[in-house]
Amino acid sequence: MTGIRFERVSVAYDGTTVLDALDLTVEPGEVMALLGPSGSGKTTALRAVAGFVRPASGRVFLGGRDVTGLPPHRRGIGMVVQQYALFPHMRVADNVAFGLRAQKVPRREIPARVAEALEMTGMGEYGRRYPRELSGGQQQRVAIARALAVRPGVLLLDEPLSALDARLRSGMLAELARLHRELPDVTILYVTHDQVEALTLADRIAVMDRARLQDVGTPRELYRAPRTEFTASFVGNANLLPVTVGSTGVAFDGVELQVDTQGVAKGAAATLCVRPHLVGLGPGPNRLAGVVGEIQWRGATHRLYVDVGGHRVMADVRELRRPPAPGEAVEMHFAPEDAVLLAAGVSRD
Amino acid sequence: MTRRLTWALPPALLLAAAFLYPLALVVRQSFRPDTGGTSLQPYTDVLGSVAFREALWTTVWLALAATACCLVLGFFLALVIAFVPFPGAKAVARFVDVFLSFPSFLITLALLFLYGTVGMANGLWTEVTGAASGPFRFLTTPWGILLAEVTYFTPFVMRPLLAAFSQLDTAQVEVAASLGARPGQIVGRVILPEALPALAAGGGLVLVLCLNEFGIVLFTGAKGVTTLPMLVYSKAILESEYPGACVVAVVNVLVSVGLYGLYRVVSRRAGA
Ligand SMILES: Nc1ncnc2c1ncn2[C@@H]1O[C@H](COP(=O)(O)OP(=O)(O)OP(=O)(O)O)[C@@H](O)[C@H]1O
Ligand SMILES: [Mg+2]
């Protein structure tokens, strides 16, 4: 089993640092999502593992072996990219056999290995087709089969679903989850800017922003207890309220709110993070009073945008029989344990 | 239907007037021996002569050899320019374009300056050794012509190849490498197959151009090397033997068209 370890890996193009001292360990058999906005350096990190960019400093380890200076073809990885990159002049079966032939797998073993990989991705019927005769989703399956055929210890996926439409994407997401259950030994590094993909698929998520690793944790940890404002707003939605820390709670817009203030100095400025779906309508503890700015019906829920002392607070509540109209005064509340206090200074720098 | 004919007519007429008519004149002349009348006499005379058969053979092997060399060299150079990152790769690619616009004799002239009997290489040799003449004499041999043709025509292969390489998705190359393919395997199994059409196009062009090349052969001053175009020239201009010249010209055209056709068939078989 092969894990991945980044040890202070930095990459620069023309003097601009696009990956800044990345320290990250992916355990063997783990699915790690690299999540972040466009240009945050996710692909660069993945390419450093594959060997297509040479770090300016730092080391990359695969299965405990330092591969920093190793050429790509000797790293034993599988790679799937956004635009499939199938070989257009080869039939599907030959595409899948490519890695086996390159690695000098005995000739008589190849057909079975190809069939196995195609079967696993549900493409068993299509071996004789050319890539141009397949739909986008089918091409991506072939690309995945091609990467899996060589039985890599590490599978690198760079936005593998982003060229597909929304429905196909959720189907493929389920398939990827199934593939990982069937191949529990394969370590997966999954680059995406889609938080749903990351939350669904990953054992842990590494959040990246502006060339830096911002946060690492299980989806639940990052969602429940984000450590930075950036994580809070990028992994799921969040209300981020500027507060001042008191002795038993915080002051927001002159109102005392009861929250856990452990670890934050009294009198300091901080940010209070509350998920919109944990904000309830009506009176209760930790009361927030404001005026409805906008209300959206979203089928099962209503999303309210409420102006509280000049700050916009979002609340997702079960569909309301009689929703308030814009301009109406409302009361909201949240449970003390549902709020997370973020000390100032750990926000995105 | 008539509409289409009307549109097709002017270009067809133009083609006939500018190209087919003079060609027909040449063909007609080739059946008119100086002794008068219409006969196959010029053909039997020319095809029977040793000079003609030697020229035919020289022309064909020189063209085939030059094409083969251009394909190998052009593929290799284009590969380096397109895939090996080095400073100035863009400038080199740009220069290839400019090179195509040079007249062919210019290259021969440059080679003369370098390797001719009074060229730089021989000059240096005589200066250093004190000998009466230098050792470089290959320019007036078929090898000199081959060198000049390869030098001049290689960019004709590189141009379409560079265009094809710029279309190739670099992700394919990277995926191939990640799957364990070494650079040589990537070239042979990914890049070459996808570049075959461009390679075939460039090769076909070079083959035909070489078969009909005149300037290079003339400028090397290789007395003993006669190609079909040279033979036409010497018969028509130097000997004023028009029917014979026309026979050679007709054969030259047939060889060009024939070899080019064969080349297309072969390269299509090869999947290009
Ligand atoms: N070959 C390159 N030359 C110069 N700059 C580059 C190169 N590749 C990437 N960059 C820059 O590096 C930064 C990070 O790029 P990267 O591709 O890693 O981002 P990303 O997080 O994958 O973004 P996206 O979600 O848009 O794919 C970007 O600002 C990009 O412009
Ligand atoms: Mg990217």
Side-chain angles (χ1 to χ4, degrees), chain A residues 47 52 72-73 77 79 81 83 85-90 98-99 101-104 146-147 150, chain B residues 169-183 185-186 188-191 193-194:
Chain A
R47 289 167 60 80
F52 298 121
H73 69 266
I77 47 172
M79 191 167 90
V81 296
Q83 294 300 339
L86 296 176
F87 307 122
H89 58 285
M90 292 182 203
F98 184 92
R101 294 197 178 120
Q103 297 183 11
K104 303 274 190 300
R146 178 176 61 180
V150 296
Chain B
D169 185 5
T170 48
Q172 279 178 33
V173 175
E174 294 190 348
V175 167
S178 78
L179 289 168
R182 282 181 294 279
Q185 290 174 309
I186 295 176
R189 300 201 36 219
V190 178
I191 296 175
E194 291 186 40

Side-chain angles (χ1 to χ4, degrees), chain A residues 131-153:
Chain A
R132 60 172 176 276
E133 299 165 346
L134 301 175
S135 74
Q138 291 169 332
Q139 290 187 45
Q140 193 59 292
R141 282 161 195 268
V142 174
I144 293 169
R146 178 176 61 180
L148 289 177
V150 296
R151 299 189 181 147

Side-chain angles (χ1 to χ4, degrees), chain A residues 37-44 46-47 82 158-159 191-193:
Chain A
S38 187
S40 53
K42 309 180 295 290
T43 297
T44 305
L46 179 128
R47 289 167 60 80
Q82 189 178 346
D158 192 355
E159 315 224 6
V191 165
T192 180
H193 58 243

Side-chain angles (χ1 to χ4, degrees), chain A residues 102-178:
Chain A
Q103 297 183 11
K104 303 274 190 300
V105 169
R107 189 175 285 267
R108 66 206 143 66
E109 288 177 27
I110 291 179
R113 294 270 297 264
V114 169
E116 179 194 43
L118 284 175
E119 216 53 65
M120 216 174 334
T121 50
M123 292 298 292
E125 310 277 292
Y126 296 87
R128 302 221 20 97
R129 296 245 193 130
Y130 280 98
R132 60 172 176 276
E133 299 165 346
L134 301 175
S135 74
Q138 291 169 332
Q139 290 187 45
Q140 193 59 292
R141 282 161 195 268
V142 174
I144 293 169
R146 178 176 61 180
L148 289 177
V150 296
R151 299 189 181 147
V154 168
L155 186 59
L156 306 177
L157 301 164
D158 192 355
E159 315 224 6
L161 308 184
S162 58
L164 308 177
D165 68 51
R167 245 194 42 207
L168 213 53
R169 205 176 319 173
S170 69
M172 281 296 282
L173 204 54
E175 292 233 8
L176 283 175
R178 175 184 59 78

